[in-house]
């Protein structure tokens, strides 16, 4: 069997941790009841597993279990948050209620797309720029958020450049103006500590497969007190407090719960190790590829992320050239079929040619030091740039 390439696309998805898989298997084969069947032990046991998983998710983010709504993933969670808040305000808006929605130019498509839909429905949607380091200017943000603002959606950690937004400061501005704050925390959960109260968020979306859980399951945090007004997008059996009706997938929820438990216990150790591996990879690239440029803030970013440009090269061709040796991407997996330059990099003021030369390297729990060394060698071979001895030093894109 051919040797598998080194996996450095952990922001697209992670391998399921063996402990997560072990936690899931009984709910496929033994405890397979419907968690909403309350007349027999099969249903009781499945419901108990579901609620235990809900508690694990809540514990990881400092929430109460009743504030956790299971979804199919972060995309659905973010859509429910954004569309649900707007729908709940629709009647009040017609009578002069709040009508403005504020977001950032570097948000994931699962935020920008529903915001664009709402703009077509007559909502005032303000998309704020970010600085060359990927971080929003708080003064500009404060000018955009006022008593007309219903909702703000700002990503905690960016899915392409890994940059962390100042969510606690953003929250203070939102609260001063009575605006609801949603954050897409998909790339942050399991990598850095996340506490919904410390951040001051009202709604938060996450997805299990970004931190060693299964695909197909995520969650939405919905603040209970004071209660967020949220209209459901679908109707049905009334499960998940009516916010997301339908039979909950117990095996997947069990996997999400176990991934959260592991993250809570091991996140600090994981983060330190992943930071060291990432530094080793970047040091190797800097030595072998002196033109390589790191995009985004150099330190305010999640562990494991490197958004690297190779001037004069094609990111897509680099990905293809190394694919048998190193698995990487040009950016978001959700927009990988698009040939146009990354809108995230464009928002940083990076030109189209430079943006198209960029690849995303993302290190994870199961990577090794040997893989970092091998990856930097393969990338240097396939990017055809002069060696360190032939040129100057590499550049970092710093604010």
């Amino acid at each position: 069997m051919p040797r598998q390439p080194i996996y450095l696309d952990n922001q697209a998805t992670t391998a399921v941790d063996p402990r997560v898989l072990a936690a899931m298997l009984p709910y496929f084969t033994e405890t397979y009841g419907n968690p909403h069947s309350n007349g027999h032990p099969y249903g009781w046991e499945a419901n108990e597993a579901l609620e235990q998983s809900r508690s694990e998710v809540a514990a990881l983010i400092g929430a109460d279990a009743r504030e956790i709504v299971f979804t199919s993933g972060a995309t659905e969670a973010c859509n429910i948050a954004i569309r649900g808040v707007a729908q709940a305000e629709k009647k009040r808006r017609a009578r002069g209620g709040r009508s403005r929605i504020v977001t950032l130019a570097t948000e994931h498509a699962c935020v920008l797309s529903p915001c664009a839909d709402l703009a077509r429905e007559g909502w005032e949607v303000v998309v704020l720029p970010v600085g060359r380091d990927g971080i929003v200017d708080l003064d500009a943000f404060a000018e955009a958020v006022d008593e007309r603002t219903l909702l703000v959606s700002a990503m905690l950690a960016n899915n392409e450049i890994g940059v962390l937004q100042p969510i606690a400061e953003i929250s203070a501005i939102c609260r001063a103006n009575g605006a609801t704050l949603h954050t897409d925390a998909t790339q942050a959960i399991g990598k850095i500590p996340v506490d919904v109260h410390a951040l001051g968020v009202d709604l938060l979306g996450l997805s299990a497969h970004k931190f060693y859980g299964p695909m197909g399951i995520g969650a939405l945090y919905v603040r209970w007190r004071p209660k967020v007004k949220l209209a459901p997008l679908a109707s049905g059996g009334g499960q998940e407090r009516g916010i997301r009706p339908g039979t909950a997938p117990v095996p997947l929820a069990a996997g999400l719960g176990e991934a959260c438990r592991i993250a809570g216990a091991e996140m600090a150790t994981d983060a330190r190790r992943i930071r060291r591996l990432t530094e080793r990879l970047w040091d190797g690239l800097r030595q072998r590829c002196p033109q390589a440029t790191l995009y985004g803030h150099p330190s305010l970013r999640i562990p494991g992320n490197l958004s690297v440009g190779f001037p004069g090269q094609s990111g897509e061709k680099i990905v293809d050239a190394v694919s048998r040796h190193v698995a990487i991407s040009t950016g978001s997996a959700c927009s990988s079929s698009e040939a146009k330059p990354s809108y995230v990099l464009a928002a940083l003021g990076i030109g189209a040619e430079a943006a198209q030369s960029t690849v995303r390297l993302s290190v994870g729990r199961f990577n090794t030091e040997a893989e970092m060394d091998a990856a930097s060698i393969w990338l240097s071979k396939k990017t055809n740039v002069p060696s360190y001895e032939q040129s100057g030093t590499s550049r970092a894109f710093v604010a």
Side-chain angles (χ1 to χ4, degrees):
M1 181 177 177
R3 182 178 179 182
Q4 291 292 305
I6 298 164
Y7 189 73
L8 292 179
D9 201 17
N10 286 281
Q11 282 185 256
T13 194
T14 52
V16 173
D17 190 292
R19 293 167 290 180
V20 170
L21 180 60
M24 294 169 61
L25 286 176
Y27 300 101
F28 285 113
T29 58
E30 301 167 16
T31 309
Y32 47 80
N34 187 317
H36 314 297
S37 296
N38 57 13
H40 51 71
Y42 290 94
W44 302 337
E45 291 173 0
N47 183 260
E48 182 179 352
L50 191 68
E51 295 311 310
Q52 177 60 34
S53 297
R54 198 186 308 276
S55 295
E56 295 287 4
V57 177
L60 183 63
I61 62 173
D64 188 278
R66 63 183 171 180
E67 297 175 309
I68 303 302
V69 174
F70 289 119
T71 68
S72 62
T75 292
E76 184 184 23
C78 292
N79 269 267
I80 291 173
I82 294 166
R83 296 175 186 273
V85 168
Q87 186 65 27
E89 182 72 7
K90 192 172 182 179
K91 290 182 180 179
R92 285 172 53 86
R93 173 188 159 218
R95 300 193 301 269
R98 293 172 181 259
S99 59
R100 175 177 287 188
I101 297 169
V102 177
T103 190
L104 308 183
T106 50
E107 293 295 304
H108 191 277
C110 71
V111 168
L112 293 178
S113 292
C115 285
D117 290 342
L118 291 173
R120 285 188 284 271
E121 295 173 16
W123 294 85
E124 180 191 6
V125 176
V126 177
V127 181
L128 294 175
V130 296
R132 291 178 67 82
D133 58 2
I135 298 174
V136 68
D137 180 86
L138 289 174
D139 290 334
F141 179 83
E143 288 184 10
V145 177
D146 56 23
E147 69 280 355
R148 296 169 295 172
T149 306
L150 170 67
L151 176 69
V152 170
S153 185
M155 181 183 265
L156 179 52
N158 189 268
N159 57 298
E160 289 192 31
I161 57 175
V163 167
L164 299 169
Q165 294 295 344
I167 297 299
E169 290 83 353
I170 286 172
S171 171
I173 296 169
C174 291
R175 291 194 182 283
N177 291 279
T180 298
L181 175 59
H182 162 256
T183 190
D184 173 5
T186 308
Q187 295 290 349
I189 299 293
K191 299 169 188 172
I192 62 171
V194 175
D195 185 291
V196 292
H197 298 292
L199 292 174
V201 298
D202 304 298
L203 298 155
L204 179 148
L206 61 90
S207 198
H209 75 103
K210 303 295 187 179
F211 61 109
Y212 315 101
M215 292 182 183
I217 183 77
L220 175 65
Y221 158 77
V222 183
R223 183 171 48 76
W224 186 258
R225 289 182 179 172
K227 191 174 183 178
V228 176
K229 295 178 180 178
L230 194 66
L233 304 188
S235 56
Q239 297 93 339
E240 298 302 305
R241 290 169 36 203
I243 293 173
R244 203 270 187 175
T247 303
V250 177
L252 299 182
L256 171 57
E258 180 66 2
C260 288
R261 186 198 65 78
I262 294 168
E266 302 178 6
M267 187 191 316
T269 302
D270 265 359
R272 285 193 296 270
R273 180 175 175 276
I274 290 169
R275 284 190 191 279
R276 286 197 298 269
L277 291 176
T278 307
E279 289 169 2
R280 189 182 185 103
L281 175 59
W282 178 230
D283 287 345
L285 287 173
R286 283 191 297 180
Q287 180 179 356
R288 298 180 176 93
C289 308
Q291 289 102 328
T293 303
L294 179 65
Y295 293 119
H297 197 285
S299 58
L300 296 177
R301 60 200 305 145
I302 53 172
N305 170 273
L306 290 172
S307 178
V308 182
F310 295 92
Q313 308 295 310
S314 162
E316 290 186 356
K317 289 182 179 178
I318 293 171
V319 169
D320 184 63
V322 302
S323 61
R324 292 184 180 275
H325 309 285
V326 188
I328 59 175
S329 65
T330 55
S332 173
C334 300
S335 57
S336 60
S337 61
E338 300 179 10
K340 60 185 180 181
S342 162
Y343 69 85
V344 172
L345 295 178
L348 270 62
I350 297 168
E353 184 177 349
Q356 287 181 320
S357 76
T358 302
V359 298
R360 182 184 67 181
L361 314 173
S362 43
V363 182
R365 179 180 292 167
F366 302 115
N367 287 124
T368 66
E369 290 185 353
E371 288 179 331
M372 300 303 100
D373 297 340
S376 66
I377 291 170
W378 279 114
L379 282 163
S380 66
K381 285 181 178 180
K382 300 300 182 179
T383 51
N384 298 315
V385 297
S387 67
Y388 178 79
E389 290 77 16
Q390 294 173 302
S391 185
T393 58
S394 64
R395 299 173 293 159
F397 197 80
V398 183

